[in-house]
Amino acid sequence: MNKKKLPFTKDFIKKVIEKYPTPFHIYDEKAIIANLKRFQKAFSWGIFKEYFAVKACPNPSILKILKNHGAGADCSSLPELIMSEKVGITGENIMFTSNQTPKEEYIKAKELGAIINLDDITHIPYLKKHAGIPELICFRYNPGPLRTGNAIIGNPVESKYGLTKDQVFEAYKEVRELGAKRFGIHSFVISNELNRASYVETAKMLFELAVELKNKIDIKIEFVNLSGGIGIPYKPEQEAVDLEKLGEEIRQLYDKIVVPNGLDPLKIYSECGRMITGPYGYLVTTAIHHKNIYKNYIGVDACSANLMRPAIYGAYHHITVLGKEDAPLDNKYDVVGSLCENSDKFAIDRNLPKIDDGDILVIHDTGAHGYAMGYNYNGKLRSAELLLKEDGSIKLIRRAETIEDYFSTLDFFDL
Ligand SMILES: *Cc1c(COP(=O)(O)O)cnc(C)c1O
């Protein structure tokens, strides 16, 4: 059971709202840093680096905090590369894991000296033509039918990502011919997975593949990128992944597979997003309407344009009504936003305390794939992002969009 605790009180948030009206996302700096350090410590037995998946929380202030504590950036688009560059994350501190990649992005990644992780064998000539083959190169492996069992992102055979096993061997030979000298291997087959065995399984698969590459074609892999996919306990009854046990189980495999095969030291990289910032972000919103028809609705000033996951995946996000943390959950509500879409519901049939208009609701676990997946449908403006700093103060790290922002790409004069 994970207690859905908050790093702030109602009185504190009421003061914040006087300056920054709801809705907004707020991130807990202290908790983000502590969590990153804990993750790094769990792998401190080896040479480890976390490349934060920028797409999960693309805000330069967040990237800077993570950078200051030893993380790199995992990018998959030109703006993500530029954002990383702007906060001083460059060179091999960037992992560029993209797919269907436009040439401009390869050119920028190469210019930054990023580690380029190719999603397909046909990208070798494409990269060569447009940006050149770098000295260090990585491939994304898709195990296809070889990987079954634990909860995976559907079936790898149906996944658009990565190279087949045969292609992996061909690809390293090809880039070696073209002058590449250093090699990494990557695979991403789980998503929001709370069972650590799945992540351990990815490590085993990549360790074994690194051994095969050495023995069969004399390619010496210098890092394995275990990618992302570590889940977070969105529901109070779920348990977070035990990072210490995860690190220890992977260490045992390292000792069993990597060391005896002469691949030590093999660097271990991850590119987690959700697990790094997800639990430490909150969407704060005000109840502005209540409506009783066939069901009881609470209308809030946020909508799924601020947090899309419930609408598109039916995802659970815990909700706390500030000041009513200990009140009985004796009302059943649908908590809904204002989009003209019936999927715009943050909670359905949720047992909550009695909610009055003006109550402040906190929607938990919005620190990853929250603001990031926002959009402007129905003319909804993107919210502000705030940082609850380590010293307890508040910093605006992205202002709310204005109507001028919304209209800024339109031309009203040439109609
Ligand atoms: C989304 C993504 C990640 C991060 O995934 P999480 O589930 O947020 O950990 C890492 N790498 C790639 C290539 C991704 O697309």
Side-chain angles (χ1 to χ4, degrees), residues 227-327:
S227 81
I230 297 179
I232 59 171
Y234 286 100
K235 296 180 177 168
E237 65 270 24
Q238 291 175 322
E239 289 287 353
V241 171
D242 185 326
L243 298 177
E244 288 73 24
K245 284 191 183 146
L246 178 72
E248 175 54 23
E249 285 166 10
I250 293 178
R251 187 189 67 77
Q252 286 172 13
L253 288 171
Y254 188 96
D255 285 349
K256 211 167 93 188
I257 303 167
V258 175
V259 176
N261 283 289
L263 281 171
D264 177 54
L266 177 66
K267 294 181 228 173
I268 297 179
Y269 294 162
S270 61
E271 48 184 40
C272 288
R274 189 188 312 274
M275 182 280 262
I276 302 295
T277 52
Y280 314 111
Y282 306 85
L283 174 58
V284 179
T285 181
T286 303
I288 54 172
H289 293 289
H290 60 275
K291 165 169 182 169
N292 304 323
I293 48 171
Y294 308 105
K295 296 181 79 172
N296 297 328
Y297 295 93
I298 298 296
V300 295
D301 61 2
C303 65
S304 53
N306 304 112
L307 174 69
M308 192 185 204
R309 299 186 71 258
I312 59 169
Y313 313 128
Y316 180 95
H317 279 262
H318 198 69
I319 296 177
T320 299
V321 184
L322 284 184
K324 298 183 177 176
E325 287 84 348
D326 299 321

Side-chain angles (χ1 to χ4, degrees), residues 176-207:
R176 180 169 56 192
E177 286 292 305
L178 294 170
K181 294 192 164 52
R182 299 166 56 209
F183 310 97
I185 183 97
H186 167 279
S187 190
F188 188 5
V189 284
I190 59 169
S191 181
N192 192 21
E193 177 57 65
L194 286 169
N195 176 4
R196 68 176 184 275
S198 305
Y199 207 66
V200 173
E201 184 63 28
T202 299
K204 179 166 183 279
M205 177 180 85
L206 290 179
F207 288 165

Side-chain angles (χ1 to χ4, degrees), residues 131-179:
I133 300 292
E135 184 186 279
L136 171 60
I137 198 153
C138 182
F139 291 98
R140 180 172 186 160
Y141 170 47
N142 178 337
L146 301 174
R147 181 73 184 269
T148 53
N150 290 297
I152 34 186
I153 314 182
N155 177 353
V157 174
E158 297 291 333
S159 152
K160 70 169 178 167
Y161 304 109
L163 289 75
T164 67
K165 191 159 183 188
D166 290 345
Q167 287 174 338
V168 164
F169 286 83
E170 283 315 302
Y172 285 102
K173 286 195 268 187
E174 215 174 293
V175 290
R176 180 169 56 192
E177 286 292 305
L178 294 170

